[in-house]
Amino acid sequence: MIFNTVAQMKLSKLSAGQIISTKGYYVAGDGGEASYLVAASQTVDGYGDHALANGVVALLQVEGAANVRQFGAKGDGVTGDLAAIQAAVDSLGTVGGVAYFPPGVYLVGVDGVAGNALAGEDMLCIELKDNITLLGDGSASEIKLAPQAGSASAPYPVAYAVWSGTMSTAKGTVKTAGRRNIAVRRLKIDCDVLVQPSGGTHDISNIRIGECSFIRVQDVELVGGVAETCYLLGKHIDEPQTYFTFTDNHVHDTGEWGVDALGVHMDRINGGVCNDNIFQNIGLRAVGLGKCSDVTVVGNFIGRNYDGGVRIAGGDNIVVSSNRMKDCNKYGVEVFPEGNDDCTDINIHNNQIEGNPSNGNAGIYVVNGANINITGNSINQMKWDGGNAGAFIAGIHARSQNGARFQNLTISNNQVRGIDPNYTTGLTIPPTAIYIEGQVADNTLMTGVSVIGNVIDECYNGYYFRYFYDYAIHSNIFRNISGTGQSLSDATGTDFGP
């Protein structure tokens, strides 16, 4: 027996054991066509399974992926689809599977009535369980956060609990916590609909995955978001197999300019990949790494971000390689340990960095650490904008500070070109191709510095070095230096040459 719609099917009186079908969910041909098994009376969710007029129920027969349209999602960009989507995800049970989004705009953050935004602590997001994949047909399949307003006294009405503790009021569109084997693929997730409050909480994420392992976000377009567009949190850096992959995604136009918005934030990840993505117009920085181990950031394009490209705030065995970074304002790559965290065995090589910074820091900026290797990078065209006179404009800038020890820094075979060669006056330290500074109180805190085989061309200063111990500086090539060629002071070493 065939019905045009689910509503028509629900008016029928059938016998248990029958197989029936519909031509659509709301109207014939709307993509919600499905088959059902009629069974004895039982509790049903009203999305995939339905009670019929005589008390029996029609149980949706899912073949392969759970199509969200078969659970009542309209995908019209007006009606709230969250409950229907969640029903599709939940139908996959503990075994898991694929929740499929045909082309359409699926609105979350609202109830099932067109345009009604959720308020208070109501859940706005899709919650994922073990072994679940959200899959679409590319950017034509869009999950969109409904417009939300907020104020300093009443932040965004979209809070939900990701996990207990300090993160209990985190917000997002897709979230999961304490799970394994999660994937989000071939979708567009749009949070670019928020009214920024003058104060209060700025904490909206397109995807927030916490204390999970074996996670993949691939071929997803991420737009908007006020905090981390994609937040990936492992359990502990020393816990095995918290592997995350973030690849082939396009992240753009996120956050308020200058507000703490990141393209992707990986925290406490042991084993991760952030490769071959595009990051553009990010409110703060493209990639943030904290307390991570064995992570690669490779082959990404990063363009026009307020703060910078890649920031490493703690961790070890991290590779940042073969990325192109353009006009990232403050830095291309920054290594800056936070709190008591350390940065060790960091390899930054073969990146193309152009046009950063305008008002501070450097193409590559490193503060403290151990075994830092900066090799084979091309750093071009940086110019002071005339603002902060205390800014440091440098191709590569490394320093030891706050009494911390900095051991084994290698800067080799880099090409640094166009570091403000026409600069005249205004900065405390003039623009410099390579600037390394230890601590004036104790130059032994910065040791094992090697600057070898670099080519420096069309820069104001060649290099400026001071306050460190045990160095090897030689085989560097200087061309067209308009200011000071080399400056070395208050440093101790035996291997020094051009």
Side-chain angles (χ1 to χ4, degrees):
M1 185 174 295
I2 301 175
F3 299 92
N4 284 323
T5 66
V6 168
Q8 186 184 59
M9 178 185 71
K10 290 167 66 175
L11 296 175
S12 66
K13 297 179 180 181
L14 303 173
S15 300
Q18 287 184 266
I19 299 293
I20 59 176
S21 62
T22 60
K23 294 181 179 180
Y25 198 97
Y26 298 102
V27 296
D30 64 5
E33 59 272 12
S35 297
Y36 298 83
L37 171 65
V38 180
S41 179
Q42 57 187 274
T43 302
V44 293
D45 62 14
Y47 293 99
D49 304 330
H50 305 275
L52 305 186
N54 60 337
V56 297
V57 298
L59 305 179
L60 177 64
Q61 303 300 288
V62 175
E63 298 179 2
N67 184 334
V68 297
R69 298 254 178 155
Q70 294 179 333
F71 290 80
K74 287 188 174 181
D76 61 5
V78 177
T79 306
D81 285 328
L82 175 61
I85 294 169
Q86 192 63 55
V89 170
D90 293 345
S91 75
L92 297 169
T94 58
V95 175
V98 175
Y100 170 64
F101 294 74
V105 179
Y106 300 88
L107 209 60
V108 299
V110 295
D111 59 22
V113 179
N116 288 352
L118 297 177
E121 298 294 309
D122 291 311
M123 183 183 294
L124 71 97
C125 61
I126 304 165
E127 184 173 4
L128 304 183
K129 298 176 174 61
D130 290 349
N131 309 312
I132 295 294
T133 295
L134 300 186
L135 177 66
D137 278 331
S139 292
S141 300
E142 178 178 347
I143 300 170
K144 185 177 182 67
L145 182 65
Q148 307 287 318
S151 67
S153 59
Y156 305 111
V158 293
Y160 64 83
V162 176
W163 59 83
S164 62
T166 58
M167 302 302 292
S168 62
T169 57
K171 309 164 185 72
T173 304
V174 178
K175 69 109 173 179
T176 185
R179 301 294 185 180
R180 295 170 57 86
N181 302 323
I182 302 294
V184 182
R185 300 181 53 228
R186 305 195 70 238
L187 286 162
K188 177 179 180 180
I189 302 178
D190 184 358
C191 287
D192 193 23
V193 291
L194 298 170
V195 178
Q196 283 280 15
S198 58
T201 302
H202 299 264
D203 197 8
I204 305 292
S205 297
N206 299 53
I207 301 174
R208 182 173 289 259
I209 297 177
E211 298 186 355
C212 298
S213 56
F214 297 100
I215 307 301
R216 179 169 58 159
V217 179
Q218 183 178 28
D219 196 15
V220 176
E221 181 182 357
L222 299 168
V223 187
V226 183
E228 301 93 347
T229 304
C230 183
Y231 182 43
L232 307 175
L233 175 66
K235 293 184 178 180
H236 300 285
I237 192 171
D238 57 354
E239 181 164 335
Q241 299 179 327
T242 59
Y243 201 76
F244 287 69
T245 64
F246 187 85
T247 58
D248 302 303
N249 303 293
H250 184 194
V251 186
H252 62 95
D253 301 296
T254 72
E256 184 180 6
W257 203 240
V259 173
D260 192 12
L262 283 75
V264 59
H265 183 186
M266 293 186 177
D267 195 5
R268 286 186 277 171
I269 303 301
N270 185 354
V273 171
C274 179
N275 292 358
D276 302 316
N277 304 287
I278 297 173
F279 299 91
Q280 294 173 296
N281 298 323
I282 310 298
L284 199 63
R285 68 185 66 95
V287 180
L289 305 178
K291 301 180 183 178
C292 292
S293 177
D294 299 314
V295 171
T296 67
V297 182
V298 176
N300 301 283
F301 173 80
I302 300 172
R304 195 181 179 272
N305 304 321
Y306 174 83
D307 193 58
V310 179
R311 188 172 196 260
I312 303 169
D316 65 274
N317 295 319
I318 295 171
V319 175
V320 180
S321 176
S322 305
N323 302 286
R324 185 185 176 201
M325 306 175 192
K326 183 175 175 59
D327 298 330
C328 289
N329 197 31
K330 292 186 179 179
Y331 58 83
V333 181
E334 181 181 54
V335 179
F336 200 129
E338 294 183 349
N340 296 321
D341 297 333
D342 296 319
C343 290
T344 61
D345 298 309
I346 310 298
N347 293 282
I348 303 167
H349 56 81
N350 299 328
N351 300 285
Q352 297 181 37
I353 302 172
E354 181 179 352
N356 357 330
S358 61
N359 194 24
N361 296 344
I364 298 173
Y365 181 44
V366 181
V367 179
N368 302 335
N371 304 326
I372 309 296
N373 297 292
I374 302 171
T375 304
N377 301 282
S378 175
I379 303 170
N380 297 288
Q381 304 301 324
M382 299 180 186
K383 187 177 186 301
W384 181 45
D385 65 2
N388 179 13
F392 295 99
I393 305 298
I396 300 171
H397 182 188
R399 65 190 307 173
S400 172
Q401 65 182 32
N402 299 329
R405 189 169 294 279
F406 194 148
Q407 296 178 298
N408 302 328
L409 168 67
T410 298
I411 300 173
S412 65
N413 301 313
N414 300 284
Q415 296 187 18
V416 183
R417 185 175 183 274
I419 308 301
D420 208 350
N422 299 318
Y423 165 81
T424 55
T425 187
L427 288 170
T428 305
I429 303 294
T432 302
I434 302 176
Y435 176 27
I436 304 175
E437 182 177 27
Q439 299 180 56
V440 63
D442 185 353
N443 74 352
T444 67
L445 290 174
M446 190 171 193
T447 63
V449 176
S450 297
V451 182
I452 299 172
N454 301 282
V455 177
I456 298 170
D457 190 11
E458 295 186 8
C459 297
Y460 184 80
N461 276 356
Y463 59 69
Y464 185 88
F465 301 153
R466 61 181 181 176
Y467 308 134
F468 53 84
Y469 181 82
D470 183 22
Y471 60 73
I473 303 169
H474 61 80
S475 305
N476 301 288
I477 298 173
F478 298 87
R479 303 185 185 125
N480 304 311
I481 305 301
S482 54
T484 303
Q486 305 98 34
S487 176
L488 177 70
S489 64
D490 297 297
T492 303
T494 59
D495 188 1
F496 179 73

